[in-house]
Amino acid sequence: MHESSLGGTLLDYITGQEIEETTFEEFRQALARFLVEEKGYPKENIRAKVKLRYEMDGEEFERPIDYVVYDDSDRPILLVIFCAGSVGTYERETLFAARLLDGGPVPFAVTTDTNEATLLDVASGDVVEQGMRAIPDWENLLGMARGASSEPLTSDRREKMLRIFHTYSGFLFGTCCSESCTLPPPHPLLKKKD
């Protein structure tokens, strides 16, 4: 299912700004709250909807990344992608996003549906741990990032990764039906009260 607008707004947990309410936004907000309140991440070190911009065959594209966590020197150390589906099917897309993000490669990445999670070592592509407990707390993440190697991509390797990443992203953000997908109206008992 594609993400669709629900026609309202809500307050973003990280920025405090009003954002569009969508079919998946409440899950992203719960994830942000989890990172801050359960894992100890400082809000000021988390950026939401970071745009991964790239060019493919002369066209410009951008893919919003749900959350990127930065250390105190403004280096990205963790990329988080929320997925509405099997977590394992998003691992490769998440790895490529972490390798391609400006300021990266990002050493670690998480793919999660807020019930399950996979922590990935971006350099090796290996699964470090699975389950929500796999998401490291702030202090552990800083330690892990200090010991991680992240070499910049060669231009040839970057081009190959961009093509693969673009293919993955096309399934989510392409035109297959995103302009025509609609959700049925909510059940009357589930309508938001004024």
Side-chain angles (χ1 to χ4, degrees):
M1 176 169 81
H2 291 283
E3 185 167 17
S4 300
S5 175
L6 296 177
T9 60
L10 50 84
L11 286 183
D12 182 73
Y13 180 79
I14 298 297
T15 65
Q17 297 176 345
E18 246 184 39
I19 58 172
E20 181 181 16
E21 184 180 17
T22 68
T23 48
F24 302 144
E25 194 58 48
E26 71 180 273
F27 298 104
R28 285 191 193 96
Q29 295 303 309
L31 181 57
R33 188 171 285 108
F34 173 77
L35 292 174
V36 172
E37 296 176 10
E38 301 292 324
K39 296 295 183 172
Y41 290 37
K43 276 188 187 181
E44 60 272 13
N45 291 70
I46 303 172
R47 295 185 197 147
K49 297 184 180 157
V50 174
K51 295 191 180 357
L52 194 164
R53 292 183 171 96
Y54 63 96
E55 188 177 308
M56 182 66 50
D57 299 328
E59 286 188 70
E60 293 188 9
F61 297 91
E62 61 180 41
R63 159 69 153 95
I65 304 299
D66 296 305
Y67 296 106
V68 179
V69 179
Y70 293 80
D71 66 12
D72 291 331
S73 63
D74 209 33
R75 174 183 159 222
I77 56 175
L78 180 71
L79 178 141
V80 181
I81 288 185
F82 167 78
C83 61
S86 174
V87 171
T89 62
Y90 287 80
E91 289 173 4
R92 284 183 51 95
E93 178 186 0
T94 302
L95 280 170
F96 287 124
R99 291 172 180 161
L100 295 166
L101 188 76
D102 286 344
V106 183
F108 296 97
V110 168
T111 250
T112 183
D113 65 359
T114 69
N115 287 313
E116 294 297 323
T118 300
L119 176 64
L120 302 160
D121 178 309
V122 173
S124 68
D126 293 337
V127 172
V128 176
E129 193 173 348
Q130 292 181 307
M132 290 304 286
R133 74 182 183 290
I135 300 173
D137 66 29
W138 176 244
E139 292 303 321
N140 285 336
L141 176 61
L142 290 175
M144 290 165 54
R146 275 192 292 275
S149 66
S150 57
E151 294 181 27
L153 299 173
T154 64
S155 58
D156 185 49
R157 187 157 180 203
R158 181 176 176 78
E159 179 65 27
K160 288 176 183 175
M161 284 189 189
L162 273 174
R163 291 201 172 277
I164 297 168
F165 178 75
H166 182 70
T167 301
Y168 280 117
S169 293
F171 289 120
L172 293 176
F173 298 101
T175 58
C176 64
C177 70
S178 57
E179 281 89 30
S180 63
C181 284
T182 58
L183 293 173
H187 188 280
L189 295 177
L190 297 178
K191 283 190 178 175
K192 212 172 190 181
K193 295 184 179 180
D194 296 329

